[in-house]
Amino acid sequence: MSKALDGVRILDFTHVQSGPTCTQLLAWFGADVIKVERAGAGDITREQLRDIPDVDSLYFTMLNHNKRSVTIDTKNPEGKQVLEALIQKCDVLVENFAPGALDRMGFTWERIQELNPRMIVASVKGFGPGPYEDCKVYENVAQCAGGAASTTGFDDGPPVVTGAQIGDSGTGLHLALGIVTALYQRTHSGRGQRVLAAMQDGVLNLCRVKLRDQQRLERTGVMKEYPQYPNGEFGEAVPRAGNASGGGQPGWILKCKGWETDPNAYIYFITQAPVWAKICNVIGKEEWATDPNYATPAARLPHLKDIFAEIERWTMTKTKFEAMQILNKYDIPCGPILSMKEIAEEPSLRKTGTIVEVDHPTRGKYLTVGNPIKLSDSPTEVTRSPLLGEHTDEVMAELGYSPEQVSALRTAGAI
Ligand code: COA
């Protein structure tokens, strides 16, 4: 069966997490992704957080499926020529080096255009143009600079970063959209273009609702769905909202049976207005359905804390899965707090290919997250990540180099 991006060749100059997540998605959609790595060393994540000595780490294998690996020393003059040949053959160059690194290598936008005017050059950087544009950036820096950390956590505690890699993987996702959009424009413009996804911008895009709230706060001085209302003080900036839902339907995380020993025996509970009467029935507070202090969303806002405490008295008598089963019968929106162990063992996620078991020649079997985006006409088959330089000879042959030339370049340290 054909794939959506069949025939698209990607020169993958990415490393660590943000860039590799982007090119992995493109590979899952069918692009031929050729990962260029430093001869002898490779992507630094190959050896980071290793769980098996001398074997590519899960950090690397889980971000580089379905790619080919070639090793080229791009600072070696002959290595540069190989890279030039690749630029001429590929449709997209994706990179997430520190600012200026590609230029220092001699591959400025102008030079790349000379070599291949149809080339799309896509970059992840920490910041867009401005005071921080030269900074190196990792995940949590972006979470902090993009507004996520200042709005995450509890009011009486410090800013908190989230486990979801919204700075790295989130920006990779943004970049992938930019790349396919540029590929589409190229079908009628015939030209390549530059695509930039700055990590600060990507995080801010995901924190859009918090900029919404900043303006609401400035206009009204109060936000009634926040836990600070009605007992706390609002300052000048959007406060940390704990586990509040952030939308028009109040929600909170509540303890379930077993919470004393299981750190994940909790459920997210949403007091959605249309099912309020059902909630009252389930928790045994039927009178709240008609009591003017509780009957309407506006009436409930001042005492959400007490309401959730009452609901929790009920959830604590059920496991999170029992509570889910009961609440779902009444269409009451809720969600169990799932541990990574529970997610890894969840059969339905295996069935859809969201969790996949992959075999690797030196590591053996391991679990990975498959393609979260499902296309009906472009199925994803997750294949293992490449060993360092595994495809150098194959790709060199495709570029027209003879075995003798390859061997000479290897001796010269260019590949
Ligand atoms: N052959 C020879 N040299 C190579 C090479 C190759 N195949 N591949 C990379 N290099 C060189 C680069 O040219 C660069 O050299 P220079 O500093 O002399 O110009 C050098 O390797 C290191 O690149 P750099 O990107 O600076 O790596 P770093 O480990 O110091 O920094 C980051 C890592 C992630 C902080 C940085 O790349 C960055 O800020 N990237 C943009 C934001 C980003 O993606 N962050 C999230 C990462 S998950």
Side-chain angles (χ1 to χ4, degrees), residues 148-160 210 217 221-223 225-244 252 305:
S150 69
T151 53
T152 304
F154 288 85
D155 202 23
D156 56 357
V160 173
K210 297 298 177 180
L217 180 65
V222 68
M223 292 182 293
E225 80 283 14
Y226 273 65
Q228 287 76 8
Y229 175 80
N231 303 315
E233 292 278 301
F234 283 90
E236 284 186 342
V238 174
R240 296 187 258 291
N243 288 317
W252 202 254
K305 218 172 152 197

Side-chain angles (χ1 to χ4, degrees), residues 13 15-19 36-39 44 59 72-75 96-102 104-105 124-126 135-139 168 199:
F13 231 157
H15 64 156
V16 203
Q17 184 182 165
S18 64
V36 175
E37 295 180 80
R38 214 187 303 226
I44 194 166
Y59 195 3
I72 305 174
D73 180 353
T74 58
K75 290 188 174 161
N96 67 313
F97 291 126
L102 204 58
R104 285 194 291 279
M105 243 181 237
V124 169
K125 294 290 167 259
C135 296
K136 291 189 172 184
V137 169
Y138 285 107
E139 171 69 46
D168 280 339
M199 293 168 73

Side-chain angles (χ1 to χ4, degrees), residues 133-340:
E133 64 187 306
D134 292 329
C135 296
K136 291 189 172 184
V137 169
Y138 285 107
E139 171 69 46
N140 287 342
V141 176
Q143 287 200 23
C144 294
S150 69
T151 53
T152 304
F154 288 85
D155 202 23
D156 56 357
V160 173
V161 294
T162 157
Q165 304 287 282
I166 56 177
D168 280 339
S169 291
T171 307
L173 200 48
H174 283 89
L175 192 73
L177 177 60
I179 290 169
V180 290
T181 306
L183 278 168
Y184 180 70
Q185 189 172 6
R186 196 183 72 171
T187 59
H188 41 93
S189 73
R191 287 193 312 275
Q193 62 181 300
R194 277 176 288 182
V195 179
L196 170 67
M199 293 168 73
Q200 181 185 38
D201 299 6
V203 171
L204 178 57
N205 184 36
L206 300 176
C207 288
R208 179 171 294 266
V209 296
K210 297 298 177 180
L211 185 57
R212 171 200 70 192
D213 289 351
Q214 181 61 35
Q215 295 170 85
R216 290 172 59 221
L217 180 65
E218 282 167 19
R219 195 176 303 277
T220 63
V222 68
M223 292 182 293
K224 293 184 179 170
E225 80 283 14
Y226 273 65
Q228 287 76 8
Y229 175 80
N231 303 315
E233 292 278 301
F234 283 90
E236 284 186 342
V238 174
R240 296 187 258 291
N243 288 317
S245 76
Q249 310 287 353
W252 202 254
I253 288 184
L254 306 177
K255 290 172 184 153
C256 290
K257 198 174 179 176
W259 67 273
E260 299 90 337
T261 50
D262 176 356
N264 295 306
Y266 288 83
I267 193 164
Y268 199 91
F269 194 107
I270 298 175
T271 56
Q272 196 202 18
V275 289
W276 176 243
K278 292 179 189 169
I279 295 172
C280 299
N281 271 335
V282 168
I283 64 168
K285 295 288 280 183
E286 288 81 359
E287 65 277 17
W288 276 3
T290 46
D291 182 335
N293 282 323
Y294 294 89
T296 65
R300 289 193 287 275
L301 284 173
H303 30 252
L304 281 179
K305 218 172 152 197
D306 300 335
I307 290 171
F308 282 121
E310 191 62 40
I311 299 173
E312 191 171 61
R313 267 191 274 283
W314 178 81
T315 57
M316 279 165 71
T317 66
K318 309 275 178 281
T319 69
K320 60 189 174 189
F321 297 114
E322 287 166 353
M324 274 289 285
Q325 228 174 7
I326 297 167
L327 297 170
N328 278 334
K329 266 203 300 222
Y330 299 104
D331 275 343
I332 299 168
C334 55
I337 307 305
L338 294 182
S339 70
M340 270 300 149

